[in-house]
Amino acid sequence: MSKFRKILLLLGFIVIPVVASLVTFLGLSAAGVIIDDTTPLVYTIESVSKAYDGTPLKANSATLTEGELKEGHQAQFSFNGEITEVGESTSDVLVKIVDDNGVDVTSEYSIKVNKGTLTVTKQAVSIILDDCEMEYNGGELICDNYEIVSGYLAAGHVIVPTTDDATLVNVHDELPDASTFVPYIYDNSGHDQSHNYDITFSIGANVKI
């Protein structure tokens, strides 16, 4: 007998019993002879949201919405998923069931998880540019005296003037519209984070050129 035929014969001895066992198992399951005796549980993760603050948002709560734990058993959660910048994401959780002695009995349960939603909205911040004044001399008036009227910036974030804002040439009778001078907000690594803020900007009465 050739080596190839021996290999085929050996595979046949392995595969055929496996297939036969699988067919038998499926047949018995369909007939109700083999019964899944695990306890079904459904956990639902709480959806959470917050305004942007530069820190990650994570889920921290899941509720048993269907099924019941056996006496002396308790659930332990390991949450997955987080979001820091403005947007929406999902959260998942790994559920582990232990008994009074801390022994893992998760195999006694059939667990389903309804995922939660993580939502970060823009941080509303109102900024005013004020207290900039000098007499006309043909030069530039550098205005960067910003004041946050309401809201706040995340830790390490700073207000950065636009090019026009930082180099106001004092030759105007009136300042241009404030919408042309809306500043940026940068983090301490020099990255623009303005997209995480809902900025309301105004120029105060004390800015004169």
Side-chain angles (χ1 to χ4, degrees):
M1 183 182 297
S2 67
K3 184 177 180 180
F4 179 71
R5 287 174 177 254
K6 289 181 179 179
I7 293 175
L8 288 179
L9 183 60
L10 179 60
L11 289 175
F13 283 135
I14 296 173
V15 173
I16 292 174
V18 171
V19 173
S21 298
L22 180 59
V23 170
T24 301
F25 175 80
L26 293 176
L28 292 174
S29 296
V33 177
I34 297 178
I35 300 174
D36 180 6
D37 60 354
T38 57
T39 301
L41 302 176
V42 177
Y43 283 91
T44 300
I45 304 175
E46 179 185 4
S47 293
V48 291
S49 64
K50 70 173 181 177
Y52 174 79
D53 63 3
T55 63
L57 176 65
K58 304 177 182 179
N60 56 19
S61 176
T63 303
L64 180 60
T65 50
E66 291 184 33
E68 184 177 350
L69 289 172
K70 299 175 183 178
E71 184 176 354
H73 290 186
Q74 59 182 341
Q76 297 178 348
F77 304 116
S78 296
F79 292 95
N80 302 310
E82 63 179 48
I83 184 172
T84 300
E85 298 204 340
V86 169
E88 189 173 282
S89 184
T90 58
S91 59
D92 203 348
V93 65
L94 177 63
V95 183
K96 179 181 179 181
I97 311 296
V98 296
D99 63 16
D100 284 337
N101 298 315
V103 176
D104 188 345
V105 292
T106 310
S107 61
E108 297 181 18
Y109 297 88
S110 174
I111 301 173
K112 177 185 175 182
V113 173
N114 293 324
K115 296 181 179 181
T117 301
L118 305 173
T119 305
V120 174
T121 58
K122 289 187 176 185
Q123 176 68 245
V125 59
S126 180
I127 301 171
I128 187 171
L129 176 65
D130 210 355
D131 292 333
C132 291
E133 182 176 1
M134 71 184 239
E135 294 182 0
Y136 172 71
N137 61 11
E140 295 176 345
L141 171 60
I142 306 300
C143 279
D144 58 0
N145 188 27
Y146 296 101
E147 179 184 351
I148 297 177
V149 180
S150 63
Y152 66 93
L153 303 186
H157 288 193
V158 294
I159 301 171
V160 178
T162 64
T163 301
D164 291 335
D165 199 1
T167 58
L168 293 175
V169 179
N170 61 338
V171 295
H172 305 287
D173 293 328
E174 295 181 0
L175 286 173
D177 186 87
S179 63
T180 64
F181 294 138
V182 178
Y184 301 110
I185 297 176
Y186 277 61
D187 61 24
N188 52 16
S189 298
H191 299 131
D192 187 0
Q193 298 294 335
S194 304
H195 57 280
N196 289 311
Y197 294 88
D198 181 10
I199 302 172
T200 300
F201 179 66
S202 60
I203 296 177
N206 294 324
V207 178
K208 300 175 182 179
I209 56 176

